[in-house]
Amino acid sequence: MLTNSYFHVAADTEQAAADCATLMLDRIREAIAERGRAMIALSGGSTPAKLFPRLAEGEVDWTRVHVFFVDERMVPPTHEASNFRLAQSLFLALPPVPVANVHRVRGEDDPEDAAAAYEAEIAEAFGLDAEDEEIPAFDIVHLGMGDDAHIASLFPGEAAIDDLDGIAAALYVEKLDAWRVTLLPAVLQAARCTVLLIAGAGKAAPLEKVLVQPYNPKQYPAQLVRHNLEVHWFLDQPAKPSEEGMSHGRA
Ligand code: 6PG
């Protein structure tokens, strides 16, 4: 089988984020060269705070880059928990990425309305034919992974993990007692390039399970992207899985 998973283990989170940014910038430049634009989807959380400033330093024609979000907390765009706010402050306002190229989830709106509007905005940006139920192929999907192996806002046990047709959905996350809007599995799996930035000792055990355990994304949602076209796992030393785990991941 073609090797599709690449493990990049760095000494620390800063270096892992720098390595992740370097690859993302390469893929962005390649997409622009090949297709005239780059369509990328970013996650939130804590590790992006180290990644985003590195992206902002990149030598890229940002007018040709469209930025979407893998998921969003249903809060206003100025709220400290907003994934948009994090990206805007550390990345998007700096190169700058044209406002029209930033496609945020309207976290201030009703979740279902926000999800429907976001799905429509994605369909328009990609020129999708709604009747054909086309799935958009992002050039890059950037993910983190929780210590419960969640990605995006797809947490263990989430019914939407079985939704292989939709583009985005509003989900009430019991564990957080909060609403989220998230991209759905088919979109995450359609990415040309998938990068996961995973850091900290707390991630080593769940990552090992993601790589070694039989495919069961309801239990280990990060397994959804294990066999994507091109998957890059950017890790710091504490998050490093076993050699067995990494060889499973490459299989
Ligand atoms: C979010 C993210 C979420 C994140 C993981 C890992 O909105 O919180 O999309 O899926 O990627 O929780 O977060 P860390 O970056 O803190 O490891």
Side-chain angles (χ1 to χ4, degrees):
M1 173 179 278
L2 283 179
T3 301
N4 67 310
S5 266
Y6 304 84
F7 291 89
H8 312 265
V9 181
D12 55 32
T13 313
E14 284 292 346
Q15 187 57 52
D19 295 344
C20 184
T22 298
L23 183 106
M24 289 176 72
L25 292 165
D26 285 348
R27 292 293 178 275
I28 287 169
R29 284 187 284 265
E30 287 167 17
I32 292 170
E34 290 168 21
R35 288 178 290 281
R37 68 181 187 175
M39 310 291 266
I40 70 174
L42 303 175
S43 286
S46 62
T47 52
K50 299 189 184 300
L51 171 66
F52 290 164
R54 300 292 185 129
L55 289 178
E57 294 164 0
E59 290 296 315
V60 166
D61 177 357
W62 294 108
T63 66
R64 292 181 175 272
V65 180
H66 284 260
V67 179
F68 297 78
F69 291 84
V70 167
D71 62 344
E72 185 56 281
R73 293 84 178 278
M74 293 314 291
V75 295
T78 52
H79 191 284
E80 65 179 5
S82 165
N83 289 344
F84 164 78
R85 179 178 179 270
L86 180 70
Q88 180 72 1
S89 60
L90 296 179
F91 167 29
L92 305 175
L94 307 178
V97 177
V99 172
N101 289 19
V102 179
H103 308 273
R104 72 178 183 92
V105 177
R106 291 181 56 82
E108 65 273 33
D109 289 354
D110 166 83
E112 302 289 352
D113 293 346
Y118 189 51
E119 203 165 60
E121 186 163 347
I122 291 172
E124 184 184 3
F126 279 84
L128 302 183
D129 181 333
E131 274 63 53
D132 291 353
E133 295 178 342
E134 277 184 87
I135 295 296
F138 282 92
D139 293 298
I140 301 172
V141 166
H142 153 251
L143 300 168
M145 188 191 79
D147 56 14
D148 58 1
H150 82 261
I151 51 173
S153 289
L154 299 171
F155 288 79
E158 173 56 58
I161 287 171
D162 293 329
D163 181 342
L164 296 178
D165 302 313
I167 292 176
L171 304 177
Y172 178 71
V173 182
E174 291 278 351
K175 179 175 185 176
L176 304 174
D177 186 22
W179 281 90
R180 296 281 189 93
V181 166
T182 186
L183 294 180
L184 291 170
V187 179
L188 303 181
Q189 293 176 333
R192 290 190 178 87
C193 177
T194 307
V195 299
L196 296 100
L197 178 57
I198 302 173
K203 305 292 175 77
L207 178 55
E208 186 79 20
K209 290 194 170 69
V210 165
L211 297 171
V212 175
Q213 291 299 317
Y215 188 70
N216 179 8
K218 272 283 183 58
Q219 188 170 5
Y220 309 111
Q223 289 185 329
L224 284 168
V225 299
R226 241 186 64 177
H227 294 299
N228 277 16
L229 200 56
E230 176 187 0
V231 189
H232 292 269
W233 306 80
F234 290 94
L235 315 171
D236 66 2
Q237 195 64 35
K240 182 183 175 188
S242 68
E243 286 305 320
E244 183 204 2
M246 289 191 281
S247 62
H248 268 266
R250 293 188 192 98

